[in-house]
Each structure stands twice: as structure tokens, then as C-alpha cells.
Amino acid sequence: MHEAYEVSHLLNATVQIEAIAAYDENLFLGTRQGHLLMYSLATNNGNQKYELQLLRYCKNFSKKPIQQIEVIPEDNLLLCLTDNVLSSYDINGVNFPLVKTFSESKGASLFALDNKSATSMTGESNSIVHLCVAVRRKLQLYYGKNGKFQKHLFDFTIPDVPKVMAWGQQYLCVGFKGEYTLFDLSSGDPKELFPTSSSKSQEPTIAKYSATSFLLGRNNTSVLVEEAQDIEVKNTIKWKEAPIAVVWDEPFILGLQQDQVVIQTVEPALFIQTLPDLNKARLMYRCKRGLIFVSSVGQVWCLSSVDITKQRQQLLKDKHFQIAIDLTNLSDCSPDEKQQSIRSIQKLYAIELFESKLYSQSMREFMKLNTDLEFVIKLFPEIDNKPGAEVKKAKGKDSENPLNALIEYLLEYRSKIGKNAQESAGKDELNQKTIQQQLELIDTTLLKCYLQTNDALVASLLRLNNCRLEESESTLQAHGKHSELIILYQTKGQHTQALQLLRAQATQQDSSLRGFHMTKNYLQHLGAEHLNLIFKFSDWILEEHPEEGLKIFTEDIVEVENLPRPKVLDFLLREHEPLVIPYLEHVIHTWNDTHSLFHDALIRMYRERITDKKSNATEEELQHIKSKLVSFLEKSSHYTPERVILHFPNDSLFEERAIILGKLGRHEQALSIYVQVLGDVDRAIRYCENVADKNADVYVILIRILMNPEQNTSLTGPLSNVPRHPNATVPDVETALSVLEKHADKISPIKALAVLPSSVPLSRLKVFLESALESQLSLKRRTQVLKGLLYAEHLQVQELKQFHESKKIEINDYKVCPVCKKRFGNQSAFVRYPNGDIVHYSCRTDNR
């Protein structure tokens, strides 16, 4: 059994003891005969730990029995209630001389003190005492400062004569014969608590627990009551029998019962010790921490605390950790020693909780202690269990999974060091490194926990990128978590390993990574810095699934769009040529890339596909490609015609060549191909219509080719041997004249007449000449109108100029510049603003 106190028998009195009080190591006894005795407590080298030495004995102190005594050591005062009157005495004087009698206390039955010390603004220490005296059914309140008392302006009227009283912070606690009541010290309003006992035969007991709480006796219990807005019952301590008196000597509560003192704790509620053989003891008084006096009518005992170190050893053996901590806080050792001892006890407590399978509580204690992370993790060997191994669990209805407690602990620990990392960011490189190591340990351990408790959380954990690679890799492999392994590789930049795993799993029937989609998605997000890796691992998808594989280079994803397109084009040309055209079409038509490289390349690929004699394409497919080539040549303005035309054949693709020649501005050759090689005059006319805004002479060129086909020499070189269209061998006068009439407003009459043969009748040119003349007259009229408008505007400007020049500006010696506040004087340069302000030239502002 734990021994908290030891008993020393101090005195067999020859008088009848009625009241006791003590301070420091001094004891006062008040007797039924009116005697007052003062003793000092001294250490004894014999069997008894202590003995009493009589200091003073005043037999004539009072003619009546002494009812109650209290000491105010700061003021060297003794308060004594005798003959139902309260008085104060000097404890330093011979025979305790009287200091003051509280004249209004006649009829008093009880008083209560509240001693405090206060420091004034000047630094002077003052003794402050609150005193309550129960006079019949009234409570008188006094305020004492440095030994001088004055009565409050009001008294409390109470329903009965009180038996016990104690001061709180806001309330005065009063125990009557049948119940307890709290009286508000500011208003006097009562708050009734509860009866003293169910039979109302029990005497009330009050022990001060703290500045705001009391231990109140009720039946065979002591009830802990806390001051609050709503009075709160905090705890209940049970006794085998109702105690006569109770004192609180932290961390123990002592209850005086018949011939013994029983010692317990409040939190946790534990029985500690029984001190027997205190024959007919009826009074108990706490002198100071660890020193309590007990008395009967004729005997006095001392209860002294056993050495705290010795107590702590026994408490730790009994696994009463909280009491050991409380006692350590009360010990006389240095703050550093206290802290070290308390941390050691708390760690033992946390380990005990863990061994008792109270995992969550244990983790909370470790968190408070900031215990080394590795030490805590090593308490859980099951985190390294192989797949299928059973996790140990506590048995019973309140059992909990230890790994869940560890997870909660690790998450809280990570949150804490995350805050520390933000606070120390950029300040301490070494500390940052330590924090990162802790995060790696935490997340790697969490990974192992999640795999055994809730593997749905693994993926999100891995994306935080704190798990240790090798350890996490082996753990995931052991659990067959291939998808999560991909995330690990990806976050750690181990892309080759990830892609190799994806390739290996792509053909596994029961794998979550089966197929090509995971590889495709992975490659799409790698980015330009891993281009060679993309080329290497896209090969098998492009071979087996070319259409989907091409999306590795064409998907609407930022990383895909930012790939170096020339290098992608080169790769496809070397390894996957059939995909070049769809890739270039996407680059140009979807991404609107205007780089001539891609436009030239697309034209080349179209041309080669059309002219490839080994191609297995159908005629329909070739016509489709040809139509796309023609359309692209017409619409695109970003290819280089002088380069692409060099590779076009001389015996085919004449329409395409004509379009390119048109881009080069070689209109006569282009029109010659349309008319003389293709025999498509309508196409030639549309060509003229498209380019006439830039070059109106194309109509004259077309008319000349139509009128004189044999004299046209624009088809030179290899094209000179190209067979002519049958319709282009004879002059087509009607078509030429039709073009002349239809587009007369765009054709120069002089240039047109110069290419017409003399054999054309003048009457045949009537429509053209009338239209041309009308066009010239219309142009003349527009020019004349424009000239008139410009002349009118000129006159307005001249008039405005004359108006401004006619204005008069007067500057004299009194005129001041509004900017610099100086006179103009002989200043020759100045500026006048439209609002009339005149400033120095040097003071002008352009925005005014």
C-alpha cells in the first residue's frame, strides 16, 4: 500500500482542547478552560519524527472556553472567538495582548478568514484579509489591510445559524444544519445547493479545494462544487462512513473519521491510505502542504508527508502516474529537474496506456510529450505485416484497431510539423531538412497503415510526394498495388519504371492497368523534358492502336500542346509515317499553327500520297486527298510556294501547280494551265475574280490567251511538252468578249483594245466601251465631289485659323503664371491654353 503520510504523536494534554490553529511550524491550542498554548514543531531523532516544544502558555487568556482560533501570520495576529465575541491578539506579545475587540460581533458563533497578499503600485506588499462573522442569523463582512479591519456597509441575513463557512472567489459557502448555500458576495443573493444528508442528522463539512471550488460533505460523500454562472458539481468522493472533518492537501483529500484518518485522491478517485489509532480525534487543521494537525480533547498528532521521491517510486510501481506527476509538481526540486521527472512519468504513463490497449489515449500522451516519432512507430510492429496477416486488436466491446490510433497520431503530428515548417520557412535549412525527413517517415508509415486499414486513402497520400521510394515500392509490390505504385513512381520522377510497369501490366487479364489507356494518359502528362521517353513508350500504342496512340501528341492537354512539334513530326516521319498527315492536320487546323514547316510538310505528304504508285489507296480515297490538297493550297497563306512547287510533277497535278503559281504571282502561267492544259475556262475566270483586287490586268491576260492561244508562250520548260486541251487550240472570241463585257469596270480599255485583234467589229465592243466610259465618267464625278469637299474643309480651317489669330492677349507686370506663381516680366515665350490660361513655356503641361 502506498504511504502518503506518517503519524507522529505530539502531546498528551492536561487540559481539554476545544480549538486548534497553526502556521509555518507553530501550533496554537485553545482550551475549554480558556487557556491558550503556543508550541513549535521540532524534528525528533527518536522513534517519532516530530515533537512539540512549548513556547508560551497563557492561563488567563479567557474566562470562557475558546470556541475558535485562526492566525494571520503576515500581521502577527491571532483571531479568537470566545464567550461569543471575536477579538484579535498580538501573537508576538507576552501573554498575547489584546489588539481589538469586534464590538458588533457579540453573539457570534463562527467566523471564516480569507488571507491574500497584494502588491501596491509603489511595489509595497500588503496583507489583505476578508473576514466573515456569523452572529445569530446574520453574516457580518469585514475587510482587513495590514492588520486593520473595517466593517462592510451591509450584512447578510440568513435563514439559520451556520455550522461551517468558507470563502470562495465570488461566493461565500455556508453549511447549515440541513443544507448548503452559496451567497453572492456582491449582492447577497443565495443559491441553494443540496441537503447535508438524506436524514438531515449529519453535521456539514466544508473543505476549500481551490479559489473557486469546495468539497461539501453529503451523506457518505464529499461533493466537489465549482463556482460558475450555473453552479456545477464536478466530482463526488465516496467514504465508508461520513467524515467528521475534511481537508484538502494537494493531491490528497483527508477525511477524519472515528479514531482514524482516511486518505484518498479526487482525480483519479483512488483510496490511498488509512491512518489508525487516532483515539477520539475530532479536530483536523492543515498547517501547510504536507503538514496536518489532528487533535482529540486530550491528545495531538501530526500527519506529515512522506518524502516525495519515496512516494513517487511506489506510485510508479502501482502505475498511479497522475498522482506521481502532481506530487512532483509540489516537490522542492529545481524546475528543470521537475520537468525532466514529469516527462519521464508521462512517457511511462503513455507506454502503460499502450500496453493496456488504450491506443488512442496513449497516442495523445505521446503527442503532448512530443515523443520521438521513431520510438512511437516502433511500438507497432504490425505495420510491416505481410498481406493477409491479421492486425492485432484489443478484445471486448471497447476494442480499437491500434493502427487507427497510429493513423490519427501521425496525421496530427504531420499537421503540427507542417505549421512549424511554415514558421521556419527560409530561416533554417537544417531544420527544413529535418522536417522533410519527419514527413517522409510519417507518410511512409501512413502508407503501411492505410494498406491494412483503408487502401482507398493510399493514392491521395502518395500524391503528397513524401513517401520514401524504396520502402514504399517494396510495400506496394508486396500488396499488389500496381495502380498506387504508378502514382509513387510518377511523384518521385521515376517515369521509366512507371512506364515499364504499365507496359508489363497492359496484357495482364486481371490487372487494373490492363490496356493502353493508362500508358497513354501517363505519356500525355510527362511534358517536353521527357520527349525521348514519350517516343520510346508510345511506339507500342502507335503500332497497335494508331488512332488512339496519336492522341499522345494531339490531345487538348497543356503538356501535349507544348511538346516540340518539329521533333514530334520528325519522330512520326521516321517511325509512323501513316500518322503524319492526321498529326499535321491537327497541328494546322485545330491548333492553328502557322509555321511554314508544317504547312509545307502537309502539302508534301498530300502530294506523295497522291503520286505514290505503290499505294493501295482506292480512287475515291485519292480523290479525297486531292480535294484536301487543292483546298489547303487555296486557303493556306503560310506555306512557301517557291519551295513546294519544286517537288510537284510536270506531268500531273496541274490544277495544284496553277494554284501555287498564283501564290507566286505568276498569273499568266496559272491562267495558261487552266485554259490550255485543263481546258477549264470557268476556273480561269474564277481565278481572275479572286485576284483582280490586287492585279486587274489578269483579265487582259486571260483575254489575250483566249484570243491568241497559239501565240501564248508562258508554258515553258517541261510544261511546254504537256498536251494541250482540244478546246484551247483555236481562239475563243466569244468567251473573251463575254469576260470583257462582264468585267468592263475592272479592265483598262486601252490595255484591252491593245490585245484585241483588228478583226473584231466595233459594234461587238459597244457594250464594253459604254460600260468602260460610264465607269470613267463615274470616277471623274467622284473625284470632282471629293475635290469640292476637300476645298470646303480647307476654307473652314482657314476661317478657324483667322479666328484664333484675331484674339488679343494682354500681359503686363501684374500678370502671374498660375503654375509657378511668378510674373511674366520680359519672358518672351509663353503658352495659352484653350481655357484662356497663360503660363510660362517652361511651365506647360502636355495634358492640360
Side-chain angles (χ1 to χ4, degrees):
M1 184 177 71
H2 170 225
E3 292 185 0
Y5 296 88
E6 54 187 336
V7 180
S8 298
H9 183 268
L10 300 178
L11 181 66
N12 284 319
T14 59
V15 290
Q16 294 174 304
I17 302 170
E18 287 291 324
I20 62 173
Y23 75 95
D24 293 340
E25 293 184 348
N26 298 303
L27 173 65
F28 292 85
L29 300 179
T31 72
R32 187 175 297 175
Q33 294 82 6
H35 302 174
L36 182 65
L37 297 85
M38 180 178 181
Y39 295 89
S40 69
L41 190 66
T43 304
N44 189 345
N45 294 325
N47 294 330
Q48 294 284 113
K49 185 175 180 181
Y50 294 107
E51 64 179 6
L52 287 179
Q53 294 179 353
L54 182 62
L55 296 180
R56 263 171 280 171
Y57 185 180
C58 183
K59 291 185 177 182
N60 300 318
F61 185 76
S62 174
K63 295 178 181 180
K64 298 288 185 177
I66 296 175
Q67 299 164 263
Q68 183 183 353
I69 53 176
E70 289 288 350
V71 182
I72 308 174
E74 297 84 358
D75 299 328
N76 298 314
L77 287 180
L78 174 75
L79 292 184
C80 176
L81 179 63
T82 178
D83 196 20
N84 299 109
V85 176
L86 181 65
S87 302
S88 62
Y89 301 85
D90 184 355
I91 61 175
N92 288 335
V94 179
N95 294 326
F96 310 103
L98 176 68
V99 175
K100 175 183 178 179
T101 297
F102 293 80
S103 58
E104 296 185 30
S105 67
K106 189 173 182 180
S109 58
L110 181 69
F111 69 92
L113 281 181
D114 182 31
N115 287 12
K116 296 178 181 178
S117 60
T119 303
S120 66
M121 296 179 65
T122 61
E124 182 182 359
S125 179
N126 296 309
S127 169
I128 305 297
V129 177
H130 293 101
L131 171 64
C132 177
V133 183
V135 181
R136 298 180 183 87
R137 295 190 177 187
K138 283 193 175 182
L139 298 179
Q140 298 176 358
L141 302 182
Y142 294 86
Y143 170 78
K145 180 177 181 183
N146 298 330
K148 296 181 180 180
F149 288 88
Q150 61 183 34
K151 192 171 180 289
H152 280 265
L153 297 177
F154 60 90
D155 298 336
F156 291 172
T157 299
I158 53 179
D160 197 358
V161 177
K163 296 291 184 179
V164 286
M165 297 189 301
W167 285 84
Q169 186 166 290
Q170 185 181 349
Y171 294 91
L172 185 72
C173 184
V174 180
F176 299 103
K177 178 67 177 174
E179 66 176 352
Y180 296 98
T181 304
L182 290 178
F183 290 92
D184 191 318
L185 291 168
S186 59
S187 64
D189 295 337
K191 285 192 176 182
E192 295 181 358
L193 296 178
F194 45 78
T196 56
S197 67
S198 54
S199 63
K200 295 189 178 181
S201 61
Q202 181 181 325
E203 290 292 319
T205 61
I206 300 176
K208 190 77 171 289
Y209 184 78
S210 71
T212 59
S213 57
F214 312 93
L215 288 161
L216 308 181
R218 182 183 185 186
N219 294 325
N220 291 352
T221 65
S222 289
V223 181
L224 180 58
V225 176
E226 179 77 23
E227 288 185 6
Q229 185 71 26
D230 296 316
I231 304 302
E232 185 178 359
V233 175
K234 301 286 288 185
N235 211 332
T236 301
I237 298 88
K238 295 181 180 179
W239 307 94
K240 286 186 178 180
E241 60 180 82
I244 303 166
V246 175
V247 298
W248 168 248
D249 187 37
E250 189 178 3
F252 304 113
I253 178 173
L254 291 81
L256 177 60
Q257 298 176 351
Q258 187 70 35
D259 299 333
Q260 65 180 11
V261 170
V262 177
I263 301 160
Q264 301 190 79
T265 56
V266 177
E267 293 179 357
L270 296 172
F271 167 77
I272 300 297
Q273 183 183 11
T274 297
L275 300 174
D277 303 326
L278 303 176
N279 188 29
K280 296 182 180 179
R282 65 189 189 90
L283 299 175
M284 186 163 56
Y285 192 96
R286 180 182 181 272
C287 176
K288 61 181 181 180
R289 163 73 194 101
L291 184 60
I292 294 99
F293 290 102
V294 178
S295 117
S296 65
V297 174
Q299 296 185 78
V300 177
W301 296 269
C302 167
L303 312 183
S304 57
S305 175
V306 174
D307 179 68
I308 285 180
T309 302
K310 182 179 177 182
Q311 287 194 65
R312 187 165 57 216
Q313 291 173 351
Q314 184 62 43
L315 287 166
L316 294 179
K317 185 178 178 181
D318 296 339
K319 298 182 179 180
H320 295 156
F321 301 101
Q322 188 55 53
I323 304 173
I325 291 171
D326 293 340
L327 281 174
T328 303
N329 278 321
L330 296 168
S331 67
D332 296 329
C333 55
S334 67
D336 288 343
E337 289 175 329
K338 280 185 184 180
Q339 185 178 11
Q340 187 175 353
S341 297
I342 290 171
R343 281 187 60 84
S344 176
I345 296 169
Q346 288 174 326
K347 188 172 182 180
L348 289 172
Y349 176 50
I351 294 171
E352 169 61 21
L353 288 171
F354 185 86
E355 292 175 350
S356 301
K357 305 189 186 309
L358 299 172
Y359 302 111
S360 293
Q361 291 183 45
S362 174
M363 293 301 103
R364 284 194 288 272
E365 292 301 317
F366 281 128
M367 181 60 66
K368 291 177 188 175
L369 290 170
N370 198 25
T371 306
D372 178 65
L373 195 58
E374 290 192 26
F375 174 85
V376 176
I377 292 172
K378 285 178 181 177
L379 294 172
F380 297 85
E382 62 269 29
I383 61 173
D384 291 313
N385 282 349
K386 294 181 179 179
E390 199 171 321
V391 178
K392 70 175 183 181
K393 294 183 180 179
K395 296 180 180 179
K397 64 178 182 179
D398 296 326
S399 63
E400 61 173 322
N401 187 326
L403 294 187
N404 286 337
L406 178 58
I407 289 168
E408 185 179 349
Y409 166 79
L410 292 171
L411 291 174
E412 185 177 350
Y413 202 104
R414 185 171 64 184
S415 175
K416 183 174 74 171
I417 64 174
K419 292 176 182 176
N420 294 339
Q422 291 178 355
E423 292 172 1
S424 62
K427 296 179 181 178
D428 188 344
E429 186 176 343
L430 181 62
N431 188 43
Q432 287 291 316
K433 187 176 180 181
T434 303
I435 289 172
Q436 182 57 38
Q437 290 172 345
Q438 288 180 320
L439 286 172
E440 290 175 2
L441 176 59
I442 289 170
D443 282 13
T444 305
T445 307
L446 278 172
L447 172 65
K448 296 175 182 179
C449 294
Y450 287 159
L451 286 170
Q452 297 185 52
T453 57
N454 186 359
D455 57 7
L457 300 173
V458 170
S460 58
L461 174 69
L462 290 170
R463 291 189 179 95
L464 296 175
N465 196 20
N466 291 320
C467 293
R468 294 171 179 170
L469 175 60
E470 294 181 3
E471 197 173 343
S472 302
E473 180 184 33
S474 61
T475 302
L476 290 169
Q477 286 174 343
H479 284 79
K481 295 294 182 180
H482 296 116
S483 296
E484 290 78 4
L485 195 53
I486 295 299
I487 298 172
L488 175 69
Y489 287 144
Q490 188 173 31
T491 56
K492 295 296 181 183
Q494 303 297 310
H495 303 301
T496 301
Q497 290 170 270
L499 290 164
Q500 287 172 343
L501 178 61
L502 285 168
R503 182 69 183 100
Q505 292 293 312
T507 55
Q508 300 299 316
Q509 292 296 323
D510 58 346
S511 174
S512 61
L513 304 179
R514 184 172 179 267
F516 65 88
H517 293 286
M518 289 287 289
T519 303
K520 182 191 76 172
N521 293 338
Y522 195 103
L523 293 171
Q524 286 175 330
H525 291 88
L526 277 179
E529 63 271 25
H530 300 290
L531 189 62
N532 291 333
L533 210 57
I534 296 173
F535 291 160
K536 179 180 178 181
F537 286 95
S538 64
D539 253 334
W540 71 273
I541 304 178
L542 291 168
E543 287 289 343
E544 298 176 17
H545 311 278
E547 187 175 340
E548 287 295 319
L550 185 60
K551 291 181 180 179
I552 296 170
F553 305 103
T554 60
E555 199 78 82
D556 289 333
I557 298 172
V558 174
E559 291 86 352
V560 173
E561 288 195 41
N562 290 334
L563 291 176
R565 295 168 190 173
K567 292 184 178 181
V568 176
L569 175 60
D570 182 62
F571 165 70
L572 293 175
L573 283 168
R574 284 186 287 105
E575 305 294 338
H576 304 279
E577 189 176 351
L579 297 174
V580 173
I581 287 178
Y583 174 71
L584 288 171
E585 288 176 340
H586 186 88
V587 169
I588 294 169
H589 301 314
T590 303
W591 288 341
N592 299 316
D593 198 313
T594 59
H595 198 292
S596 61
L597 171 68
F598 306 116
H599 290 251
D600 291 353
L602 183 58
I603 292 170
R604 178 168 71 87
M605 294 305 297
Y606 282 150
R607 173 179 56 76
E608 290 179 355
R609 186 68 60 85
I610 295 168
T611 58
D612 184 7
K613 295 180 180 179
K614 297 180 182 180
S615 172
N616 296 324
T618 63
E619 183 63 28
E620 185 179 354
E621 289 173 339
L622 291 175
Q623 285 300 320
H624 178 65
I625 294 172
K626 194 173 186 301
S627 65
K628 290 201 290 185
L629 174 58
V630 169
S631 175
F632 185 69
L633 288 170
E634 288 178 337
K635 294 178 181 178
S636 174
S637 59
H638 303 294
Y639 62 89
T640 49
E642 63 273 14
R643 185 180 301 152
V644 299
I645 199 170
L646 297 175
H647 304 285
F648 268 72
N650 295 318
D651 57 351
S652 62
L653 301 179
F654 297 114
E655 181 180 6
E656 291 78 359
R657 177 180 284 274
I659 296 170
I660 299 170
L661 288 169
K663 295 283 186 176
L664 290 169
R666 291 153 65 176
H667 305 298
E668 187 171 357
Q669 288 180 292
L671 289 170
S672 296
I673 289 175
Y674 285 128
V675 176
Q676 295 186 305
V677 176
L678 299 175
D680 192 347
V681 177
D682 291 338
R683 182 69 181 82
I685 295 172
R686 288 201 303 275
Y687 176 88
C688 292
E689 291 171 349
N690 290 334
V691 301
D693 290 338
K694 297 179 181 178
N695 190 341
D697 290 344
V698 291
Y699 287 110
V700 177
I701 295 170
L702 177 59
I703 292 169
R704 186 178 69 243
I705 294 171
L706 291 171
M707 288 289 191
N708 303 294
E710 297 299 328
Q711 296 179 11
N712 182 34
T713 59
S714 59
L715 297 176
T716 59
L719 291 177
S720 61
N721 298 322
V722 175
R724 300 299 188 265
H725 194 276
N727 297 335
T729 56
V730 294
D732 189 352
V733 177
E734 288 301 320
T735 302
L737 292 175
S738 175
V739 170
L740 193 66
E741 291 173 353
K742 186 175 180 181
H743 302 284
D745 58 329
K746 299 176 183 176
I747 299 174
S748 167
I750 297 173
K751 292 181 180 180
L753 292 173
V755 300
L756 291 174
S758 57
S759 59
V760 177
L762 188 60
S763 60
R764 191 68 182 81
L765 299 176
K766 178 182 178 184
V767 175
F768 165 67
L769 292 173
E770 286 178 347
S771 177
L773 182 60
E774 178 62 32
S775 176
Q776 291 298 317
L777 290 173
S778 177
L779 177 61
K780 180 181 178 181
R781 285 194 295 272
R782 286 199 302 273
T783 304
Q784 288 174 336
V785 170
L786 179 61
K787 179 182 177 182
L789 290 172
L790 290 172
Y791 182 69
E793 185 179 10
H794 171 72
L795 292 177
Q796 288 177 349
V797 171
Q798 288 296 319
E799 185 179 354
L800 185 62
K801 178 186 174 187
Q802 291 173 5
F803 170 75
H804 286 296
E805 287 178 344
S806 66
K807 285 197 173 183
K808 176 182 177 183
I809 300 172
E810 181 179 347
I811 297 177
N812 54 42
D813 292 340
Y814 303 104
K815 197 80 170 179
V816 176
C817 173
V819 176
C820 66
K821 310 301 180 185
K822 295 180 181 178
R823 291 189 178 92
F824 285 95
N826 296 324
Q827 183 76 27
S828 59
F830 56 88
V831 173
R832 180 185 180 276
Y833 289 108
N835 63 0
D837 288 349
I838 300 171
V839 300
H840 291 118
Y841 182 78
S842 59
C843 296
R844 76 192 188 284
T845 55
D846 296 334
N847 59 353
R848 191 162 176 181

